[in-house]
Amino acid sequence: MIRSAAIGMVFAMLVGVAQPASAQFYLEHYDHAAVLSPDKLPEAVEPLPGATDGENDAALIWTMRAALNVAALQCQFEPTLLTDTNYNAMLTDHVEELAAAWTLLGMYFARVSPTPREGEAALDRYGTRLYSRFSTVRAQYEFCRVAGSIGQEILFSPRAQLAVVAGARMNELRSSLIYRGEQRFDMRQKRETVTLPRLDAACWDRRARWRDRVCGPDPWAVPGTAGDDKAATSAS
């Protein structure tokens, strides 16, 4: 029984080690998944005027690919997120969906452009704009955490379901581009106004005492004390 218990403990430890840890940047993270309305969120999916439903799905897939690619490059400071590993796994597991999405996008730009050459140039600009939409500095922790979670879900999603996952979590990803910070405590810096006394020689006597009659009440006076003029009046 002792040996069985020991083996069970070792097995549990190994299982625990095999599980990727979840990065904890704050004591309490903002719940980006609870964002229901897209109002005031950064635009992520590049609009495609006149696109078909299939082309819009292709745009959604390729937008998610661009976001996870940015995360794979920018989030390696936290290895437990596995952003680069999950991204590479997505390229392998969902290669057919990604290839089909890119083909549909190419067909869209070829259709709406005057010439094939202009269509290729428009497709290149489209890809560049997608990457720039997910470039963030202040909200990097939150973007990386959410992108890591989405990458893990895609890793375990069946093939042909990439558009479903992208559609379900795109608003969450967009919300993560806005800095929210610590939610457990109010970490905003409180500003206080401090009044400094005048430092010109007219306000101070030879003993470094404040001259009330010249410069008014001492802004830093300790209660119960008085300047030289009041002290002189009391002595007389």
Side-chain angles (χ1 to χ4, degrees), residues 150-222:
I150 294 175
Q152 186 176 14
E153 181 176 349
I154 291 176
L155 180 66
F156 292 100
S157 65
R159 293 178 179 176
Q161 294 296 307
L162 190 54
V164 176
V165 177
R169 304 197 64 177
M170 184 57 70
N171 271 356
E172 180 184 356
L173 186 64
R174 293 169 63 192
S175 176
S176 72
L177 296 172
I178 302 175
Y179 173 75
R180 313 284 185 173
E182 178 62 65
Q183 299 298 301
R184 179 66 61 86
F185 305 106
D186 185 2
M187 305 298 290
R188 291 174 297 180
Q189 183 178 3
K190 297 180 179 180
R191 298 182 178 180
E192 298 182 359
T193 302
V194 178
T195 302
L196 298 177
R198 292 174 56 180
L199 301 178
D200 47 296
C203 296
W204 305 87
D205 64 11
R206 295 181 178 179
R207 298 183 180 180
R209 293 179 301 181
W210 181 263
R211 304 181 68 180
D212 294 355
R213 293 182 181 180
V214 177
C215 299
D218 185 355
W220 281 1
V222 178

Side-chain angles (χ1 to χ4, degrees), residues 9 34 40 47 59 65 75 103 107 129 184 192 209 217 220:
M9 292 177 62
K40 298 182 180 180
R65 177 194 181 278
C75 304
T103 299
M107 294 171 61
R129 288 194 298 268
R184 179 66 61 86
E192 298 182 359
R209 293 179 301 181
W220 281 1

